[in-house]
Amino acid sequence: MLPYYVKLPNTEQQMRGRRKMTISMRTVLVVAVLTSVLLVFFNQKKVQIPKINMLQLCNCQSRSTPLDSPRPMETDDEIEELFDKIDRQIHPVTIDDTDEATSPEKSVTAIIDPKDEYCVGDQLQVKVTAYDYFGNRKPYGGDYLRARIYSPDTNSSASGSITDYKDGTYLVKFTLFWAGSVHLSILLMHPSEAVSALWRARNQGFANIKYTGNFTSATEYENSECGFELGTEKEICRYVDKRDREAFYCVKPKRYPCEALTHMNSVNRDHSYLSEVEQLLINRSNIGMEISKALDRVTVLNCGQKILSPTERCGLGSYYPIPSGYFHHNVWNPVHCRMSPFTDNDKLKVFLKGKKLLLMGDSTVRQYIRHFTEDLKIVDYFNHTEDEMQSWQKTLLAINQEKFIYIQWKKHTFPFVSKTFYSIKEDAYMARQIDQVGGGENTIIVLTLGQHFRPFPLRVFIRSAINVRKAVERLFIRSPRTKVIIKEENARDMDIDMERFSDFHGYVQYLLLREIFHGLNVGFVDSLDMTIAYACNVIHPPQEVLENIISMSFTQASL
C-alpha cells in the first residue's frame, strides 16, 4: 500500500511539502524511541553524581553489609618499611613485677675521665649503667633517657646525645658550650619495660579514644559513634579519601544521611591495652626520674677560647642531630648555622610585608598567630568574635592591611583530639590543604604533625606524613619558590595520660618525620631539642622558647 500523500496533486511545491513532512515524522519517531530507552535506563539504575563531602574527602557512602565492616585502609610497602625500622629498635620485654624494671635509684652514672676544670668547647661524657630494683644489672637496653646541662645564672642549657649499647649501658655526650658552673641532669623518662609496653599498646588498636560525630539538620541533631575502626554490623558512613587512602567512619544515624555530619569530639575511653603492672610503670611517680644525683656540677672556663659562631645562615634542606644548638641568655644558638632573631616588631613587619603565612597543624603552631596578634599586636584578628575565640579549634585569620600581611591557622583533621565539639566542615587532611595552596615566593607554610597522632597506631601517622610529603612535592612542581617549614614536635607535660600521649610516642614520630622528608627542600625547626634543653615540660612552650622557634622558622624561610 502506498503512502497516503501519493494521492495528492503532484506539483513541485507539494513534493517539497511531502519531503518536509516525511523528515518531520522521522525526527519525531527517533526522539520517541530515544526517550523510551532513556526512561527504561533511568528506571533500572540511579545515576549518582559524585559529592564532595566534609573534609573534602572523596565519596562518602553508607554500607550495611556485615561482611563489609569497616577496617583501617590497607598499608603499602613504604609504610611497612618505616614501621619495621622503628619496631626493630624496640626491645620486646614483659615483666610480672615492677621491681624487674630499670630503677633510677639503683642505676649508676659516672663521668668518664673527670677533670677539675673544663674548657669551653670540651666534650663531657657520662656512662650510665642500668640496674633493676632488685639491684641486678640489666642485660638489655631500650630505656628512654633524657639528658641536659644547664646554668641557671645565665639562662643557658643544652641537651645531650645518648648512645644505647643494647646491653644495659649508655653513653651520654655533652658539649660544653658556655663558661660557668654547669649542672648535669639525666632523667629516666621510661624504663625499657614501659617503652616495650607503650609500643605494643599503641599499635594494638584504636580503642583508647572514643569519637562522637554530630549529625545535624536545621532544627535537630543526633550523635553517633565514629572512629578509624568500628566493630559493628550497623550501617556505616564511610569518609574515604581514595587518592591518599585515608579513611574515617561513623555509625549512620537512622534519620540523617552521611552528609549531615558537621561536628566531632573525642574523649579518653575507659580502656587500656596495658596490664596492671605496666600501668604502674607509667604512673607519674615513675616518669622523668633523676638518675644522675651523684653527679657534681662541673666548672667550665673560657681558657682563652670560645666556640666559633657559624657564619652561614640556617637554610632549607638540612637538619642536624641532637644537640643541634643551645640556649644562652634565653637565645637559641644553632650549632651548624646562624639564626637571625625575629623578636622585634619592626623587623617582623618588614619580613612579613606582602607575605601570606599559612600555619597548618595543631595548637603548637597556633601559638604563632596568637603571639603575633595578642602579644606583639602586629596583626589583628579578622572577623573573630569573642564567642568564636572560645572554640580554639576554629580557623584563625589575622591581617595587617597597611603592610599587606596575611596569617592563617587551620587545624589538621583526623586524628584531631578535643573534648569540645569542633566543626569538620571547614577543614581537610593536611595534604588536601596544601593542594589548595597556589604558592609563590611570598607564601610561607609552617606545618606540624604529631601531638594528636600519639594515641593511635603508628601507621596512621606514617600514612598522613607520606601524604603530606607528596603534597609538598606537588607544590614544589607548580611553585618551587614556596617556602615550607616543618616545626617538629616539642616535649610536653609529664603528668598526662602516658599510654596515649607519652613523649616516647612523640620521639618516634620525630625520627620518622625526618626520614620521610629527607631530601626535600624544606626547613626543620627542632622544637624537641629546644624544649628538652629548656626543660619546659608543657604542651605550649613559654614565650621565650616560642620566640626562638619562630626565629628559626623565619630564618630558614628568608633565604
Side-chain angles (χ1 to χ4, degrees):
M1 183 176 180
L2 295 174
Y4 68 91
Y5 56 81
V6 173
K7 298 178 180 180
L8 294 178
N10 191 17
T11 65
E12 183 178 347
Q13 184 176 0
Q14 288 174 331
M15 291 297 291
R16 286 197 299 268
R18 292 169 184 168
R19 286 195 295 271
K20 289 180 180 179
M21 184 180 296
T22 303
I23 293 172
S24 177
M25 291 181 66
R26 288 176 180 172
T27 302
V28 170
L29 182 60
V30 170
V31 171
V33 172
L34 289 175
T35 302
S36 299
V37 172
L38 288 173
L39 285 173
V40 171
F41 175 78
F42 278 99
N43 283 333
Q44 291 179 344
K45 180 179 181 180
K46 294 180 180 179
V47 176
Q48 293 184 343
I49 299 176
K51 302 173 182 178
I52 301 298
N53 63 14
M54 67 15 146
L55 305 176
Q56 298 182 4
L57 304 183
C58 297
N59 301 328
C60 75
Q61 308 165 12
S62 64
R63 300 283 179 86
S64 57
T65 308
L67 294 176
D68 197 27
S69 59
R71 301 288 298 175
M73 302 293 281
E74 65 274 16
T75 57
D76 58 30
D77 292 341
E78 184 177 8
I79 293 174
E80 289 306 309
E81 181 181 347
L82 290 167
F83 181 88
D84 290 343
K85 185 171 290 188
I86 298 296
D87 186 55
R88 287 193 296 269
Q89 299 180 45
I90 308 299
H91 181 78
V93 59
T94 57
I95 57 174
D96 299 319
D97 188 337
T98 56
D99 287 342
E100 299 175 50
T102 304
S103 166
E105 292 86 4
K106 297 292 180 68
S107 296
V108 176
T109 57
I111 296 176
I112 298 175
D113 298 327
K115 302 177 183 178
D116 292 333
E117 295 176 342
Y118 293 84
C119 293
V120 170
D122 283 352
Q123 201 171 73
L124 185 147
Q125 300 186 23
V126 178
K127 181 180 180 181
V128 179
T129 306
Y131 289 81
D132 64 23
Y133 284 90
F134 292 118
N136 300 316
R137 189 181 181 283
K138 298 288 293 294
Y140 51 82
D143 296 308
Y144 180 38
L145 305 178
R146 181 173 292 175
R148 65 186 290 261
I149 52 176
Y150 60 97
S151 296
D153 53 335
T154 58
N155 291 319
S156 302
S157 56
S159 59
S161 66
I162 302 170
T163 302
D164 182 352
Y165 289 110
K166 310 296 184 182
D167 61 356
T169 63
Y170 306 83
L171 180 64
V172 181
K173 294 182 180 179
F174 298 106
T175 300
L176 303 174
F177 292 109
W178 63 87
S181 179
V182 177
H183 300 257
L184 289 77
S185 171
I186 302 175
L187 303 180
L188 175 64
M189 297 300 294
H190 295 304
S192 54
E193 295 76 17
V195 168
S196 177
L198 288 170
W199 174 249
R200 187 198 70 250
R202 175 177 184 174
N203 296 295
Q204 196 163 333
F206 296 85
N208 281 345
I209 300 289
K210 178 184 177 181
Y211 278 98
T212 300
N214 183 249
F215 292 75
T216 62
S217 65
T219 57
E220 298 179 307
Y221 73 89
E222 183 176 341
N223 290 337
S224 182
E225 183 181 359
C226 301
F228 289 97
E229 182 180 65
L230 296 175
T232 180
E233 294 186 357
K234 296 180 181 179
E235 190 172 5
I236 297 297
C237 291
R238 298 165 167 263
Y239 305 101
V240 179
D241 186 323
K242 292 184 178 179
R243 183 196 71 185
D244 292 341
R245 296 162 66 194
E246 300 194 64
F248 202 77
Y249 311 98
C250 291
V251 175
K252 185 183 181 301
K254 293 181 180 179
R255 298 184 297 119
Y256 293 92
C258 294
E259 291 81 1
L261 177 64
T262 61
H263 290 77
M264 189 79 66
N265 84 335
S266 62
V267 294
N268 292 351
R269 199 189 300 268
D270 184 17
H271 177 276
S272 175
Y273 289 109
L274 302 176
S275 68
E276 291 184 8
V277 171
E278 291 167 341
Q279 290 181 44
L280 290 174
L281 292 177
I282 60 170
N283 185 279
R284 176 62 186 96
S285 61
N286 294 317
I287 306 299
M289 304 301 292
E290 191 76 52
I291 62 175
S292 54
K293 296 176 182 177
L295 296 179
D296 294 328
R297 70 187 71 179
V298 297
T299 300
V300 183
L301 305 176
N302 281 321
C303 301
Q305 63 184 27
K306 63 177 182 179
I307 292 182
L308 296 176
S309 299
T311 57
E312 184 178 347
R313 289 180 63 184
C314 299
L316 304 174
S318 300
Y319 58 87
Y320 305 99
I322 290 177
S324 60
Y326 63 96
F327 282 103
H328 191 52
H329 298 293
N330 281 342
V331 175
W332 182 250
N333 298 268
V335 174
H336 303 282
C337 57
R338 179 170 53 86
M339 183 186 80
S340 298
F342 282 86
T343 54
D344 179 74
N345 280 23
D346 291 335
K347 183 174 182 178
L348 278 167
K349 288 179 182 178
V350 170
F351 172 71
L352 291 172
K353 183 178 180 180
K355 289 186 172 62
K356 181 182 288 186
L357 175 61
L358 304 177
L359 308 168
M360 301 178 184
D362 57 38
S363 59
T364 63
V365 288
R366 182 177 179 263
Q367 281 189 275
Y368 285 54
I369 191 170
R370 294 197 64 183
H371 180 59
F372 297 145
T373 53
E374 300 169 28
D375 299 329
L376 302 182
K377 304 185 186 305
I378 62 173
V379 288
D380 297 310
Y381 287 123
F382 178 76
N383 196 29
H384 282 80
T385 66
E386 184 177 351
D387 290 340
E388 287 177 317
M389 290 297 292
Q390 298 305 311
S391 179
W392 73 267
Q393 311 93 338
K394 281 184 173 289
T395 296
L396 291 182
L397 175 62
I399 60 174
N400 181 319
Q401 289 183 305
E402 180 185 356
K403 299 294 184 180
F404 302 103
I405 300 173
Y406 178 103
I407 303 176
Q408 176 186 271
W409 173 78
K410 288 180 74 70
K411 66 179 179 294
H412 64 67
T413 186
F414 304 131
F416 196 82
V417 180
S418 173
K419 292 181 180 179
T420 57
F421 276 95
Y422 55 89
S423 172
I424 59 172
K425 284 294 187 180
E426 62 183 13
D427 298 314
Y429 287 116
M430 189 180 291
R432 294 288 181 174
Q433 291 185 35
I434 294 171
D435 285 339
Q436 295 173 357
V437 175
E441 61 180 335
N442 290 320
T443 299
I444 302 171
I445 298 175
V446 179
L447 62 89
T448 189
L449 288 167
Q451 298 284 352
H452 291 254
F453 287 83
R454 292 185 180 189
F456 304 99
L458 189 62
R459 290 180 178 89
V460 173
F461 173 80
I462 297 174
R463 181 179 296 284
S464 293
I466 290 174
N467 289 336
V468 171
R469 181 200 68 198
K470 292 178 180 177
V472 172
E473 290 173 342
R474 291 190 293 268
L475 172 63
F476 286 161
I477 290 173
R478 66 180 181 270
S479 185
R481 301 184 70 179
T482 306
K483 302 296 192 302
V484 176
I485 310 298
I486 298 175
K487 177 204 161 292
E488 299 177 280
E489 276 197 75
N490 52 264
R492 61 175 302 176
D493 322 64
M494 294 188 190
D495 57 355
I496 55 171
D497 184 330
M498 283 291 162
E499 181 174 353
R500 294 163 178 80
F501 297 103
S502 168
D503 274 345
F504 165 71
H505 298 319
Y507 178 63
V508 168
Q509 293 172 174
Y510 166 87
L511 296 176
L512 283 170
L513 212 57
R514 293 188 164 207
E515 179 98 9
I516 290 169
F517 283 86
H518 178 73
L520 274 186
N521 195 35
V522 299
F524 288 90
V525 179
D526 199 337
S527 303
L528 181 63
D529 194 11
M530 291 186 189
T531 50
I532 289 177
Y534 202 85
C536 51
N537 299 310
V538 290
I539 181 63
H540 300 121
Q543 182 169 325
E544 56 268 26
V545 177
L546 175 63
E547 287 180 340
N548 284 281
I549 291 173
I550 291 173
S551 292
M552 193 66 178
S553 302
F554 288 174
T555 297
Q556 296 179 81
S558 62
L559 292 179

